[in-house]
Amino acid sequence: MVVVGETPSLGRSIGDLLLSEGIPCRMVADLGPGELGSWLPGEEPVVLVACNEAYCRTARRWTRGELPGARIVVVGARDPGLAGASGVRVVPLPLERERLVALVRDLVA
């Protein structure tokens, strides 16, 4: 699982939450070629994006097909472009800890 901290403080908080729940994750500021290249063929990585902005660049990249095979969760996004995006799971703020943890556990299982 990768946590993309587009909003750094939110990303760190979510990363700490997941680690405290025993869910391994890596924190990155952006999904660069090195991170994308580390995915194995056929792997469906879970990408959790912490973004409390009106534009979520990682989710927009996903909608354009730039993150093939990834399952994506966006926490806090206010991006109107994600409203009709099929397959994007959006978790609003304020964060419901149990809901997020249950969703992530289901996706990484």
Side-chain angles (χ1 to χ4, degrees):
M1 160 160 256
V2 178
V3 176
V4 180
E6 287 189 25
T7 302
S9 59
L10 180 58
R12 284 190 301 275
S13 295
I14 291 171
D16 289 345
L17 168 64
L18 296 176
L19 291 172
S20 74
E21 292 288 334
I23 301 170
C25 62
R26 291 185 309 277
M27 279 287 306
V28 298
D30 190 27
L31 287 177
E35 187 67 41
L36 296 174
S38 70
W39 296 348
L40 301 172
E43 182 180 15
E44 292 184 335
V46 177
V47 177
L48 191 149
V49 186
C51 178
N52 191 22
E53 302 297 328
Y55 182 86
C56 183
R57 72 180 175 274
T58 304
R60 291 291 185 108
R61 287 176 64 195
W62 184 88
T63 62
R64 291 189 303 265
E66 294 178 28
L67 308 175
R71 292 169 289 163
I72 191 162
V73 177
V74 181
V75 176
R78 298 176 286 124
D79 187 337
L82 300 181
S86 178
V88 176
R89 295 159 182 93
V90 177
V91 178
L93 294 176
L95 183 64
E96 293 180 28
R97 174 188 175 120
E98 295 80 16
R99 178 180 173 204
L100 177 64
V101 170
L103 174 62
V104 170
R105 285 190 193 283
D106 184 51
L107 288 172
V108 298

